[in-house]
């Protein structure tokens, strides 16, 4: 805490020493890259979940109402992702009795080497308060904080499975049916599937920090880091079976994302991003000039010079010179 206070005092001191010009308007284009994730966890464990590499691209406007303070808004496209790998999954649920068979049936499905990747693209609208401290004649240290609203424009998942073995169990006969492709009871290898993912809009708290460099009279380069953390659940939960039985065409199964099932009971998904950001800005409008403060030594007032007085404070007139003649 003491070190932080010392750094702040030094920055404030530098702020008073150097001249710097800030324009009231800044237009910018920006790009960010880093960890960009649809953040969730698998309740019960058993899987390996990894974040995805992503980023954002957008443009914005900042209005400075003084050299140090301003507010900004903009629009950007951001990509988020997540992937998981599960060695083995087993599911079991009741299905309609297949044609030609009797009794109540249960479908058993055993997955081997299950992998799924989820991805989503959001259009985001940031609104932030900006604070900056001049560090010299051509640099600032800046802090931005605020919020973002993002709505999804696309979301999907891609699923690959090494093998799926399905069997049917009849409670009437107590028999397990397998290796009957006509009824959908078989082993399927190298299964791939992709489909849309249902997600909702996201609200985020956002933070940026870094350095702003003056590259020309009205041009600036921002280099820094950013953190976007979602505060609401974006998952539209609709419980489905991981593998849906098709009674009309049993060999043609319907595959669903594991996020939309109760296999691991994923309760919520939040957007999360952290990384590095670069912004190119163009200034215009009113100039805020912080002039360098020059301290000049004070000059002493000159005192009038007084002539010395003779004793008795009497002035003697000069005596005329006498001729020797």
């Amino acid at each position: 805490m003491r070190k932080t206070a010392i750094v702040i005092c030094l920055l404030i001191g530098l702020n008073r020493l150097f001249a710097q010009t800030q324009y009231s308007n800044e237009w910018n284009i920006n790009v960010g890259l880093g960890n960009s994730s649809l953040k969730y966890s698998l309740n019960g464990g058993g899987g390996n979940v990894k974040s995805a590499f992503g980023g954002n691209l957008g443009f914005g406007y900042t209005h400075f109402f003084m050299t140090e303070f301003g507010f900004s808004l903009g629009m950007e496209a951001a990509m988020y992702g997540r992937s998981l790998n599960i060695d083995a999954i087993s599911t079991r649920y009741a299905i309609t009795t297949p044609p030609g068979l009797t009794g109540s049936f249960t479908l058993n499905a055993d997955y081997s080497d299950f992998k799924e990747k989820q991805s989503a693209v959001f259009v985001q609208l940031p609104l932030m308060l900006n604070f900056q401290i001049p560090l010299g004649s051509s640099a600032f240290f800046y802090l931005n904080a605020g919020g973002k609203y993002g709505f999804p424009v696309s979301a999907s998942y891609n699923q690959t499975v090494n093998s799926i073995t399905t069997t049917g169990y009849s409670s009437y006969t107590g028999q397990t049916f397998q290796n009957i492709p006509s009824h959908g009871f078989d082993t399927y290898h190298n299964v791939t599937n992709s489909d849309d993912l249902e997600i909702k809009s996201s609200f985020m708290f956002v933070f940026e920090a870094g350095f702003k460099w003056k590259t020309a009279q009205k041009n600036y380069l921002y280099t820094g880091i950013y953190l976007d953390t979602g505060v609401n659940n974006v998952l539209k939960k609709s419980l489905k079976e991981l593998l849906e039985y098709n009674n009309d065409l049993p060999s043609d199964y319907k595959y669903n994302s594991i996020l939309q099932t109760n296999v691991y009971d994923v309760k919520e998904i939040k957007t999360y991003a952290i990384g590095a950001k670069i912004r190119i800005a163009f200034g215009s409008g009113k100039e805020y000039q912080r002039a360098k403060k020059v301290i000049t030594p004070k000059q002493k007032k000159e005192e009038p010079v007084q002539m010395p007085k003779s004793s008795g404070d009497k002035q003697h007139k000069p005596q005329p010179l006498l001729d020797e003649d």
Side-chain angles (χ1 to χ4, degrees), residues 284-299:
S284 66
K286 180 180 177 181
E287 293 184 22
Y288 298 112
Q289 179 72 41
R290 176 179 290 275
K292 181 177 179 181
K293 186 176 181 181
V294 179
I295 301 175
T296 57
K298 293 183 179 180
Q299 295 182 352

Side-chain angles (χ1 to χ4, degrees), residues 263-274:
V263 174
Y264 281 97
D265 192 22
V266 177
K267 295 186 180 297
E268 65 178 16
I269 298 176
K270 294 181 179 180
T271 54
Y272 176 84
I274 185 171

Side-chain angles (χ1 to χ4, degrees), residues 143-203:
L143 291 170
N144 300 341
K148 284 183 183 179
Y149 167 74
F151 58 90
V153 293
S154 68
S156 61
Y157 70 92
N158 185 278
Q159 197 177 97
T160 61
V161 187
N162 184 41
S163 66
I164 305 174
T165 299
T166 58
T167 60
Y169 175 79
S170 171
S171 61
Y172 179 75
T173 63
Q175 182 180 2
T176 297
F177 295 84
Q178 55 188 355
N179 299 323
I180 309 177
S182 60
H183 289 313
F185 306 140
D186 203 357
T187 297
Y188 304 91
H189 297 280
N190 300 321
V191 179
T192 60
N193 176 61
S194 60
D195 205 346
D196 293 335
L197 190 63
E198 298 179 351
I199 57 176
K200 301 180 292 186
S201 298
S202 174
F203 296 90

